[in-house]
Amino acid sequence: MNMDDQKNISCSVRGTDDAITPSTSDDDVRADPGHSVDDKENGGVLHTIGGGSQNHSGSIDKLDRYLNSKPIISFGLTLQASWEAVAISFQSTLLNGGPSTLVYGCILSTLGSAAMAATLGELASMKPCVGAQYRWSALLAPRGTNPRFWGYMQGWLTTFAWNAACALNPYLMGSMIQGCILLCDETYVPQGWHTTLLAYASMALPIFCNIYARKIIAPLEIVSAVLHVLLLIVFVVVLTVMARRSTPDFVFQTSFFGLSGWNSPGIEWSIGLLAVIFPMGGYDSILHMADEVKDAPRKVPMAMVGATLLSGVVAFVFIVVLMFCLGDVDKVSNTATGLPIIETLYEATNSKAGTVFLVMCIYFIIGASQFNILASVSRLAWAFAKDGGLPFSEHLSKVHPTLRIPVNAVLVTSTICLLINIIPVGSTTAFYALTSLSTLALYFSYCVPATLVLLRKIENDFPAYGPWKISGPAWVGLAINVFAFAWGWYCVFSLCLPIVMPATAANMNWAGPILAAVICIGLSQWFFGGSKNFRLPQDELGQ
């Protein structure tokens, strides 16, 4: 950055609303995309990647801040869609661990996820920015290593993980429609390409709204969060009134071991946690909306922890009710519809129309979650591109001048999502192998900064806190950090295990090998252009 540029830029961080207030108009401001403006008065709190990136016309590409506390907490609550995610993913737990694993695993997962959200929240308060994990990894990089390398690898991993996650919801939505068709028409023969077309149809509205109707995100988040809770009440009432009851012993003491081929109850219990680990992840999605949140240093970490705790509560309520009203375990586990929740609801209501209606309620919340995921991952790609971390960064880092949306990033993210959903046409196993990576990669992306936080605190070399931190004495925060570290790496271990044994090419959990392949690809990209093109703001480079 030359002296003239330095004279033209003067940024100050405010406690609320728009965090960056240039001394000149936005169109007149110039910034080097490889550096950021120091903010000594506010402990280095930054509100956009690199203080805003420079496009070819010379203006700063930044997003409007229009989200307050309620919409952003609702954003995280709806995106996690915890009880809905449990409803469509608990089949694996029926093979590994059983009801007790779901009930007590949900409590453990809620506490572990809240601890991780709080740990990352302390960093979010210091640097509430899009693509935060790679900024943090660079900020906390071990002494004597290259911060840009840590940031680049973290950014590559996180971006890949969220793109895989973005492809999962449309497939699940298509599967729900297909399951309802199977319930109503037993002569229907499902095909892989049917699911793909249904997934494409489910993506149409989220793509359109993310480009042309971004302002509906605030009211949509609040409405979706309210429906998220109200529909839970509907499901609880329907199941408790109409379903056949299980005993308390079945719900709280029964475990299913030996059904999946594993000989170790501990391993089976760990695998069974997948159904409650998957819904509780994704709290970093709130971070990727940070450039559109007012008073981000306070509201983003509060939303991360608040949304995680609320998600855990509603998931626990649903799991207890579901296990009390599960019905015939064998029929539910081997349902022709492919989704156990459909069989459970049908056994309870004895009505195909009623079952389809209830499943479509879940479909709506998952659809709202997809809207949020697409918004979040497109901002992540936009931010990483602003720092030169992706191919064609020059185009992906642009913000549309009138729509105020990174349209190119939305379109590329949507295209990747649609392409991934072609895989079920040829191989459902391959599709699940790729999408199961999303949860593993997300937890891995949390573990890296959580590990670095713990090391820095042990060394008494932690950066200055932002306006939000874990309350209480220092040892309380450190204890929560240790728990988050242990929980995160335990999840990474569990997510790599095959669900059934003996493992074959058809039923193998390929998440671990694919994650290793992604890391290898990221390493190769670093040596073949990434080290030259990727930039970090000046405050990270100076740590």
mmCIF file of all heavy atoms in Angstrom, residues 287-332:
data_model
loop_
_atom_site.group_PDB
_atom_site.id
_atom_site.type_symbol
_atom_site.label_atom_id
_atom_site.label_comp_id
_atom_site.label_asym_id
_atom_site.label_seq_id
_atom_site.Cartn_x
_atom_site.Cartn_y
_atom_site.Cartn_z
ATOM 1 N N LEU A 287 -20.952 -17.127 11.398
ATOM 2 C CA LEU A 287 -19.743 -16.340 11.152
ATOM 3 C C LEU A 287 -19.678 -15.853 9.712
ATOM 4 O O LEU A 287 -19.224 -14.742 9.437
ATOM 5 C CB LEU A 287 -18.505 -17.193 11.447
ATOM 6 C CG LEU A 287 -18.186 -17.463 12.917
ATOM 7 C CD1 LEU A 287 -17.203 -18.598 13.031
ATOM 8 C CD2 LEU A 287 -17.652 -16.212 13.563
ATOM 9 N N HIS A 288 -20.117 -16.710 8.796
ATOM 10 C CA HIS A 288 -19.985 -16.366 7.387
ATOM 11 C C HIS A 288 -21.010 -15.322 6.940
ATOM 12 O O HIS A 288 -20.981 -14.886 5.785
ATOM 13 C CB HIS A 288 -20.085 -17.631 6.539
ATOM 14 C CG HIS A 288 -19.130 -18.708 6.981
ATOM 15 N ND1 HIS A 288 -17.826 -18.428 7.319
ATOM 16 C CD2 HIS A 288 -19.286 -20.037 7.171
ATOM 17 C CE1 HIS A 288 -17.229 -19.543 7.703
ATOM 18 N NE2 HIS A 288 -18.085 -20.526 7.615
ATOM 19 N N MET A 289 -21.918 -14.956 7.861
ATOM 20 C CA MET A 289 -22.840 -13.852 7.606
ATOM 21 C C MET A 289 -22.421 -12.608 8.382
ATOM 22 O O MET A 289 -23.164 -11.624 8.431
ATOM 23 C CB MET A 289 -24.264 -14.258 8.017
ATOM 24 C CG MET A 289 -24.813 -15.464 7.282
ATOM 25 S SD MET A 289 -24.991 -15.181 5.510
ATOM 26 C CE MET A 289 -26.270 -13.936 5.492
ATOM 27 N N ALA A 290 -21.226 -12.627 8.990
ATOM 28 C CA ALA A 290 -20.811 -11.570 9.913
ATOM 29 C C ALA A 290 -20.770 -10.199 9.261
ATOM 30 O O ALA A 290 -21.010 -9.190 9.928
ATOM 31 C CB ALA A 290 -19.435 -11.895 10.508
ATOM 32 N N ASP A 291 -20.460 -10.120 7.979
ATOM 33 C CA ASP A 291 -20.384 -8.824 7.317
ATOM 34 C C ASP A 291 -21.753 -8.195 7.099
ATOM 35 O O ASP A 291 -21.849 -7.066 6.621
ATOM 36 C CB ASP A 291 -19.662 -8.959 5.974
ATOM 37 C CG ASP A 291 -18.159 -8.957 6.144
ATOM 38 O OD1 ASP A 291 -17.698 -9.086 7.289
ATOM 39 O OD2 ASP A 291 -17.436 -8.829 5.134
ATOM 40 N N GLU A 292 -22.826 -8.946 7.426
ATOM 41 C CA GLU A 292 -24.180 -8.415 7.284
ATOM 42 C C GLU A 292 -24.888 -8.316 8.632
ATOM 43 O O GLU A 292 -26.093 -8.121 8.689
ATOM 44 C CB GLU A 292 -24.974 -9.303 6.314
ATOM 45 C CG GLU A 292 -24.427 -9.223 4.893
ATOM 46 C CD GLU A 292 -24.777 -10.429 4.045
ATOM 47 O OE1 GLU A 292 -25.858 -10.417 3.433
ATOM 48 O OE2 GLU A 292 -23.971 -11.364 3.986
ATOM 49 N N VAL A 293 -24.109 -8.444 9.731
ATOM 50 C CA VAL A 293 -24.669 -8.396 11.081
ATOM 51 C C VAL A 293 -24.248 -7.094 11.763
ATOM 52 O O VAL A 293 -23.072 -6.726 11.751
ATOM 53 C CB VAL A 293 -24.184 -9.601 11.919
ATOM 54 C CG1 VAL A 293 -24.709 -9.506 13.346
ATOM 55 C CG2 VAL A 293 -24.628 -10.907 11.273
ATOM 56 N N LYS A 294 -25.199 -6.423 12.364
ATOM 57 C CA LYS A 294 -24.895 -5.214 13.126
ATOM 58 C C LYS A 294 -24.248 -5.592 14.461
ATOM 59 O O LYS A 294 -24.646 -6.559 15.095
ATOM 60 C CB LYS A 294 -26.182 -4.421 13.381
ATOM 61 C CG LYS A 294 -26.865 -3.919 12.109
ATOM 62 C CD LYS A 294 -28.137 -3.170 12.445
ATOM 63 C CE LYS A 294 -28.826 -2.671 11.176
ATOM 64 N NZ LYS A 294 -30.074 -1.931 11.474
ATOM 65 N N ASP A 295 -23.264 -4.812 14.874
ATOM 66 C CA ASP A 295 -22.555 -5.056 16.130
ATOM 67 C C ASP A 295 -22.061 -6.502 16.185
ATOM 68 O O ASP A 295 -22.262 -7.217 17.169
ATOM 69 C CB ASP A 295 -23.455 -4.752 17.315
ATOM 70 C CG ASP A 295 -22.669 -4.701 18.634
ATOM 71 O OD1 ASP A 295 -21.424 -4.618 18.579
ATOM 72 O OD2 ASP A 295 -23.301 -4.773 19.703
ATOM 73 N N ALA A 296 -21.392 -6.915 15.115
ATOM 74 C CA ALA A 296 -20.965 -8.308 14.964
ATOM 75 C C ALA A 296 -20.082 -8.823 16.097
ATOM 76 O O ALA A 296 -20.221 -9.983 16.489
ATOM 77 C CB ALA A 296 -20.251 -8.480 13.619
ATOM 78 N N PRO A 297 -19.140 -8.040 16.663
ATOM 79 C CA PRO A 297 -18.283 -8.589 17.727
ATOM 80 C C PRO A 297 -19.050 -9.117 18.930
ATOM 81 O O PRO A 297 -18.556 -9.980 19.642
ATOM 82 C CB PRO A 297 -17.399 -7.395 18.116
ATOM 83 C CG PRO A 297 -17.374 -6.524 16.911
ATOM 84 C CD PRO A 297 -18.738 -6.658 16.305
ATOM 85 N N ARG A 298 -20.249 -8.593 19.186
ATOM 86 C CA ARG A 298 -21.045 -9.080 20.310
ATOM 87 C C ARG A 298 -22.116 -10.074 19.861
ATOM 88 O O ARG A 298 -22.310 -11.121 20.481
ATOM 89 C CB ARG A 298 -21.725 -7.904 21.033
ATOM 90 C CG ARG A 298 -20.764 -7.013 21.804
ATOM 91 C CD ARG A 298 -21.512 -5.907 22.514
ATOM 92 N NE ARG A 298 -20.603 -5.091 23.335
ATOM 93 C CZ ARG A 298 -19.881 -4.088 22.886
ATOM 94 N NH1 ARG A 298 -19.944 -3.764 21.606
ATOM 95 N NH2 ARG A 298 -19.084 -3.403 23.677
ATOM 96 N N LYS A 299 -22.801 -9.733 18.791
ATOM 97 C CA LYS A 299 -23.978 -10.514 18.415
ATOM 98 C C LYS A 299 -23.628 -11.843 17.751
ATOM 99 O O LYS A 299 -24.370 -12.819 17.892
ATOM 100 C CB LYS A 299 -24.874 -9.683 17.501
ATOM 101 C CG LYS A 299 -25.514 -8.515 18.240
ATOM 102 C CD LYS A 299 -26.363 -7.652 17.336
ATOM 103 C CE LYS A 299 -26.975 -6.485 18.133
ATOM 104 N NZ LYS A 299 -27.738 -5.564 17.277
ATOM 105 N N VAL A 300 -22.525 -11.906 17.013
ATOM 106 C CA VAL A 300 -22.168 -13.162 16.350
ATOM 107 C C VAL A 300 -21.839 -14.262 17.352
ATOM 108 O O VAL A 300 -22.403 -15.367 17.276
ATOM 109 C CB VAL A 300 -21.014 -12.940 15.352
ATOM 110 C CG1 VAL A 300 -20.397 -14.273 14.924
ATOM 111 C CG2 VAL A 300 -21.525 -12.193 14.117
ATOM 112 N N PRO A 301 -20.918 -14.042 18.325
ATOM 113 C CA PRO A 301 -20.653 -15.130 19.283
ATOM 114 C C PRO A 301 -21.861 -15.479 20.139
ATOM 115 O O PRO A 301 -22.082 -16.653 20.464
ATOM 116 C CB PRO A 301 -19.504 -14.586 20.137
ATOM 117 C CG PRO A 301 -19.504 -13.109 19.931
ATOM 118 C CD PRO A 301 -20.017 -12.887 18.546
ATOM 119 N N MET A 302 -22.665 -14.474 20.524
ATOM 120 C CA MET A 302 -23.869 -14.767 21.295
ATOM 121 C C MET A 302 -24.831 -15.628 20.485
ATOM 122 O O MET A 302 -25.449 -16.562 21.018
ATOM 123 C CB MET A 302 -24.550 -13.456 21.708
ATOM 124 C CG MET A 302 -23.784 -12.650 22.753
ATOM 125 S SD MET A 302 -24.529 -11.030 23.064
ATOM 126 C CE MET A 302 -26.148 -11.508 23.629
ATOM 127 N N ALA A 303 -24.948 -15.340 19.193
ATOM 128 C CA ALA A 303 -25.839 -16.124 18.336
ATOM 129 C C ALA A 303 -25.326 -17.540 18.156
ATOM 130 O O ALA A 303 -26.114 -18.494 18.114
ATOM 131 C CB ALA A 303 -25.983 -15.431 16.982
ATOM 132 N N MET A 304 -24.004 -17.700 18.047
ATOM 133 C CA MET A 304 -23.430 -19.036 17.894
ATOM 134 C C MET A 304 -23.765 -19.926 19.090
ATOM 135 O O MET A 304 -24.239 -21.060 18.934
ATOM 136 C CB MET A 304 -21.918 -18.931 17.723
ATOM 137 C CG MET A 304 -21.466 -18.334 16.400
ATOM 138 S SD MET A 304 -19.687 -18.009 16.366
ATOM 139 C CE MET A 304 -19.024 -19.664 16.587
ATOM 140 N N VAL A 305 -23.529 -19.413 20.291
ATOM 141 C CA VAL A 305 -23.788 -20.199 21.493
ATOM 142 C C VAL A 305 -25.289 -20.362 21.719
ATOM 143 O O VAL A 305 -25.773 -21.465 22.030
ATOM 144 C CB VAL A 305 -23.134 -19.540 22.719
ATOM 145 C CG1 VAL A 305 -23.468 -20.308 23.991
ATOM 146 C CG2 VAL A 305 -21.620 -19.449 22.535
ATOM 147 N N GLY A 306 -26.046 -19.273 21.553
ATOM 148 C CA GLY A 306 -27.482 -19.330 21.786
ATOM 149 C C GLY A 306 -28.194 -20.292 20.856
ATOM 150 O O GLY A 306 -29.031 -21.092 21.288
ATOM 151 N N ALA A 307 -27.865 -20.225 19.558
ATOM 152 C CA ALA A 307 -28.501 -21.115 18.588
ATOM 153 C C ALA A 307 -28.159 -22.565 18.867
ATOM 154 O O ALA A 307 -29.002 -23.458 18.717
ATOM 155 C CB ALA A 307 -28.082 -20.728 17.173
ATOM 156 N N THR A 308 -26.916 -22.834 19.281
ATOM 157 C CA THR A 308 -26.496 -24.208 19.571
ATOM 158 C C THR A 308 -27.246 -24.775 20.769
ATOM 159 O O THR A 308 -27.725 -25.923 20.742
ATOM 160 C CB THR A 308 -24.979 -24.259 19.832
ATOM 161 O OG1 THR A 308 -24.285 -23.768 18.683
ATOM 162 C CG2 THR A 308 -24.528 -25.682 20.110
ATOM 163 N N LEU A 309 -27.364 -24.003 21.833
ATOM 164 C CA LEU A 309 -28.091 -24.471 23.025
ATOM 165 C C LEU A 309 -29.575 -24.695 22.723
ATOM 166 O O LEU A 309 -30.162 -25.705 23.139
ATOM 167 C CB LEU A 309 -27.918 -23.478 24.166
ATOM 168 C CG LEU A 309 -26.515 -23.396 24.776
ATOM 169 C CD1 LEU A 309 -26.438 -22.251 25.785
ATOM 170 C CD2 LEU A 309 -26.133 -24.713 25.447
ATOM 171 N N LEU A 310 -30.189 -23.765 22.010
ATOM 172 C CA LEU A 310 -31.593 -23.925 21.657
ATOM 173 C C LEU A 310 -31.804 -25.140 20.768
ATOM 174 O O LEU A 310 -32.778 -25.889 20.939
ATOM 175 C CB LEU A 310 -32.107 -22.657 20.966
ATOM 176 C CG LEU A 310 -32.286 -21.425 21.844
ATOM 177 C CD1 LEU A 310 -32.619 -20.199 21.000
ATOM 178 C CD2 LEU A 310 -33.372 -21.654 22.885
ATOM 179 N N SER A 311 -30.889 -25.343 19.822
ATOM 180 C CA SER A 311 -30.983 -26.515 18.943
ATOM 181 C C SER A 311 -30.892 -27.801 19.737
ATOM 182 O O SER A 311 -31.608 -28.777 19.465
ATOM 183 C CB SER A 311 -29.867 -26.476 17.889
ATOM 184 O OG SER A 311 -30.048 -25.408 16.989
ATOM 185 N N GLY A 312 -30.010 -27.819 20.732
ATOM 186 C CA GLY A 312 -29.873 -28.999 21.569
ATOM 187 C C GLY A 312 -31.129 -29.292 22.373
ATOM 188 O O GLY A 312 -31.529 -30.457 22.515
ATOM 189 N N VAL A 313 -31.773 -28.245 22.884
ATOM 190 C CA VAL A 313 -32.989 -28.433 23.688
ATOM 191 C C VAL A 313 -34.111 -29.030 22.849
ATOM 192 O O VAL A 313 -34.760 -30.021 23.246
ATOM 193 C CB VAL A 313 -33.430 -27.099 24.316
ATOM 194 C CG1 VAL A 313 -34.820 -27.235 24.959
ATOM 195 C CG2 VAL A 313 -32.418 -26.637 25.355
ATOM 196 N N VAL A 314 -34.371 -28.436 21.669
ATOM 197 C CA VAL A 314 -35.478 -28.943 20.843
ATOM 198 C C VAL A 314 -35.167 -30.334 20.312
ATOM 199 O O VAL A 314 -36.070 -31.168 20.174
ATOM 200 C CB VAL A 314 -35.802 -27.963 19.690
ATOM 201 C CG1 VAL A 314 -36.301 -26.638 20.237
ATOM 202 C CG2 VAL A 314 -34.599 -27.736 18.776
ATOM 203 N N ALA A 315 -33.883 -30.610 20.016
ATOM 204 C CA ALA A 315 -33.511 -31.955 19.556
ATOM 205 C C ALA A 315 -33.746 -32.981 20.653
ATOM 206 O O ALA A 315 -34.244 -34.092 20.391
ATOM 207 C CB ALA A 315 -32.053 -31.972 19.114
ATOM 208 N N PHE A 316 -33.402 -32.638 21.897
ATOM 209 C CA PHE A 316 -33.590 -33.568 23.011
ATOM 210 C C PHE A 316 -35.068 -33.879 23.223
ATOM 211 O O PHE A 316 -35.451 -35.039 23.411
ATOM 212 C CB PHE A 316 -32.985 -32.990 24.290
ATOM 213 C CG PHE A 316 -33.138 -33.880 25.484
ATOM 214 C CD1 PHE A 316 -32.320 -34.983 25.668
ATOM 215 C CD2 PHE A 316 -34.114 -33.618 26.437
ATOM 216 C CE1 PHE A 316 -32.466 -35.819 26.764
ATOM 217 C CE2 PHE A 316 -34.271 -34.441 27.546
ATOM 218 C CZ PHE A 316 -33.443 -35.550 27.708
ATOM 219 N N VAL A 317 -35.901 -32.848 23.184
ATOM 220 C CA VAL A 317 -37.344 -33.056 23.351
ATOM 221 C C VAL A 317 -37.868 -33.996 22.268
ATOM 222 O O VAL A 317 -38.621 -34.944 22.549
ATOM 223 C CB VAL A 317 -38.089 -31.711 23.308
ATOM 224 C CG1 VAL A 317 -39.601 -31.929 23.261
ATOM 225 C CG2 VAL A 317 -37.720 -30.856 24.515
ATOM 226 N N PHE A 318 -37.467 -33.749 21.030
ATOM 227 C CA PHE A 318 -37.949 -34.580 19.929
ATOM 228 C C PHE A 318 -37.463 -36.024 20.065
ATOM 229 O O PHE A 318 -38.226 -36.968 19.829
ATOM 230 C CB PHE A 318 -37.486 -33.999 18.595
ATOM 231 C CG PHE A 318 -37.894 -34.840 17.402
ATOM 232 C CD1 PHE A 318 -39.202 -34.818 16.953
ATOM 233 C CD2 PHE A 318 -36.972 -35.647 16.756
ATOM 234 C CE1 PHE A 318 -39.591 -35.596 15.865
ATOM 235 C CE2 PHE A 318 -37.347 -36.428 15.677
ATOM 236 C CZ PHE A 318 -38.664 -36.399 15.232
ATOM 237 N N ILE A 319 -36.209 -36.212 20.444
ATOM 238 C CA ILE A 319 -35.651 -37.567 20.566
ATOM 239 C C ILE A 319 -36.393 -38.369 21.632
ATOM 240 O O ILE A 319 -36.743 -39.544 21.409
ATOM 241 C CB ILE A 319 -34.145 -37.487 20.887
ATOM 242 C CG1 ILE A 319 -33.362 -37.073 19.632
ATOM 243 C CG2 ILE A 319 -33.625 -38.829 21.397
ATOM 244 C CD1 ILE A 319 -31.903 -36.780 19.885
ATOM 245 N N VAL A 320 -36.651 -37.757 22.772
ATOM 246 C CA VAL A 320 -37.358 -38.473 23.840
ATOM 247 C C VAL A 320 -38.755 -38.888 23.368
ATOM 248 O O VAL A 320 -39.180 -40.040 23.541
ATOM 249 C CB VAL A 320 -37.442 -37.605 25.113
ATOM 250 C CG1 VAL A 320 -38.356 -38.255 26.143
ATOM 251 C CG2 VAL A 320 -36.053 -37.400 25.702
ATOM 252 N N VAL A 321 -39.478 -37.954 22.751
ATOM 253 C CA VAL A 321 -40.819 -38.261 22.251
ATOM 254 C C VAL A 321 -40.755 -39.323 21.158
ATOM 255 O O VAL A 321 -41.558 -40.270 21.126
ATOM 256 C CB VAL A 321 -41.513 -36.984 21.741
ATOM 257 C CG1 VAL A 321 -42.838 -37.320 21.049
ATOM 258 C CG2 VAL A 321 -41.739 -36.006 22.877
ATOM 259 N N LEU A 322 -39.786 -39.187 20.250
ATOM 260 C CA LEU A 322 -39.645 -40.145 19.150
ATOM 261 C C LEU A 322 -39.385 -41.551 19.668
ATOM 262 O O LEU A 322 -39.975 -42.530 19.180
ATOM 263 C CB LEU A 322 -38.510 -39.703 18.228
ATOM 264 C CG LEU A 322 -38.186 -40.625 17.038
ATOM 265 C CD1 LEU A 322 -39.361 -40.656 16.064
ATOM 266 C CD2 LEU A 322 -36.908 -40.160 16.331
ATOM 267 N N MET A 323 -38.514 -41.693 20.646
ATOM 268 C CA MET A 323 -38.199 -43.015 21.173
ATOM 269 C C MET A 323 -39.391 -43.618 21.931
ATOM 270 O O MET A 323 -39.605 -44.821 21.896
ATOM 271 C CB MET A 323 -36.980 -42.931 22.094
ATOM 272 C CG MET A 323 -35.671 -42.633 21.368
ATOM 273 S SD MET A 323 -35.225 -43.895 20.132
ATOM 274 C CE MET A 323 -35.750 -43.090 18.591
ATOM 275 N N PHE A 324 -40.178 -42.772 22.596
ATOM 276 C CA PHE A 324 -41.379 -43.275 23.271
ATOM 277 C C PHE A 324 -42.442 -43.726 22.263
ATOM 278 O O PHE A 324 -43.271 -44.582 22.577
ATOM 279 C CB PHE A 324 -41.964 -42.193 24.183
ATOM 280 C CG PHE A 324 -41.492 -42.269 25.597
ATOM 281 C CD1 PHE A 324 -40.648 -41.297 26.126
ATOM 282 C CD2 PHE A 324 -41.889 -43.324 26.421
ATOM 283 C CE1 PHE A 324 -40.217 -41.364 27.446
ATOM 284 C CE2 PHE A 324 -41.454 -43.396 27.740
ATOM 285 C CZ PHE A 324 -40.609 -42.416 28.255
ATOM 286 N N CYS A 325 -42.392 -43.137 21.047
ATOM 287 C CA CYS A 325 -43.450 -43.396 20.057
ATOM 288 C C CYS A 325 -42.891 -44.020 18.782
ATOM 289 O O CYS A 325 -43.474 -43.868 17.698
ATOM 290 C CB CYS A 325 -44.167 -42.093 19.722
ATOM 291 S SG CYS A 325 -44.807 -41.196 21.149
ATOM 292 N N LEU A 326 -41.775 -44.722 18.889
ATOM 293 C CA LEU A 326 -41.076 -45.229 17.701
ATOM 294 C C LEU A 326 -41.892 -46.262 16.947
ATOM 295 O O LEU A 326 -41.868 -46.300 15.713
ATOM 296 C CB LEU A 326 -39.728 -45.821 18.117
ATOM 297 C CG LEU A 326 -38.808 -46.281 16.992
ATOM 298 C CD1 LEU A 326 -38.435 -45.111 16.095
ATOM 299 C CD2 LEU A 326 -37.549 -46.921 17.576
ATOM 300 N N GLY A 327 -42.607 -47.131 17.646
ATOM 301 C CA GLY A 327 -43.356 -48.190 16.982
ATOM 302 C C GLY A 327 -42.518 -49.439 16.809
ATOM 303 O O GLY A 327 -41.574 -49.688 17.568
ATOM 304 N N ASP A 328 -42.842 -50.224 15.787
ATOM 305 C CA ASP A 328 -42.146 -51.475 15.508
ATOM 306 C C ASP A 328 -40.728 -51.168 15.012
ATOM 307 O O ASP A 328 -40.554 -50.647 13.910
ATOM 308 C CB ASP A 328 -42.924 -52.275 14.465
ATOM 309 C CG ASP A 328 -42.377 -53.686 14.287
ATOM 310 O OD1 ASP A 328 -41.146 -53.854 14.322
ATOM 311 O OD2 ASP A 328 -43.180 -54.613 14.095
ATOM 312 N N VAL A 329 -39.736 -51.507 15.807
ATOM 313 C CA VAL A 329 -38.354 -51.152 15.475
ATOM 314 C C VAL A 329 -37.916 -51.798 14.159
ATOM 315 O O VAL A 329 -37.262 -51.155 13.327
ATOM 316 C CB VAL A 329 -37.396 -51.565 16.613
ATOM 317 C CG1 VAL A 329 -35.947 -51.283 16.218
ATOM 318 C CG2 VAL A 329 -37.742 -50.812 17.885
ATOM 319 N N ASP A 330 -38.271 -53.073 13.952
ATOM 320 C CA ASP A 330 -37.873 -53.765 12.728
ATOM 321 C C ASP A 330 -38.500 -53.121 11.495
ATOM 322 O O ASP A 330 -37.825 -52.914 10.480
ATOM 323 C CB ASP A 330 -38.262 -55.241 12.802
ATOM 324 C CG ASP A 330 -37.440 -56.007 13.819
ATOM 325 O OD1 ASP A 330 -36.294 -55.580 14.090
ATOM 326 O OD2 ASP A 330 -37.932 -57.014 14.363
ATOM 327 N N LYS A 331 -39.785 -52.781 11.563
ATOM 328 C CA LYS A 331 -40.448 -52.151 10.423
ATOM 329 C C LYS A 331 -39.876 -50.765 10.150
ATOM 330 O O LYS A 331 -39.680 -50.368 8.994
ATOM 331 C CB LYS A 331 -41.951 -52.053 10.679
ATOM 332 C CG LYS A 331 -42.681 -53.383 10.616
ATOM 333 C CD LYS A 331 -44.172 -53.194 10.835
ATOM 334 C CE LYS A 331 -44.794 -52.407 9.693
ATOM 335 N NZ LYS A 331 -46.272 -52.297 9.864
ATOM 336 N N VAL A 332 -39.605 -50.025 11.210
ATOM 337 C CA VAL A 332 -39.049 -48.681 11.054
ATOM 338 C C VAL A 332 -37.642 -48.743 10.454
ATOM 339 O O VAL A 332 -37.290 -47.956 9.568
ATOM 340 C CB VAL A 332 -39.034 -47.956 12.410
ATOM 341 C CG1 VAL A 332 -38.216 -46.676 12.321
ATOM 342 C CG2 VAL A 332 -40.450 -47.641 12.852
#
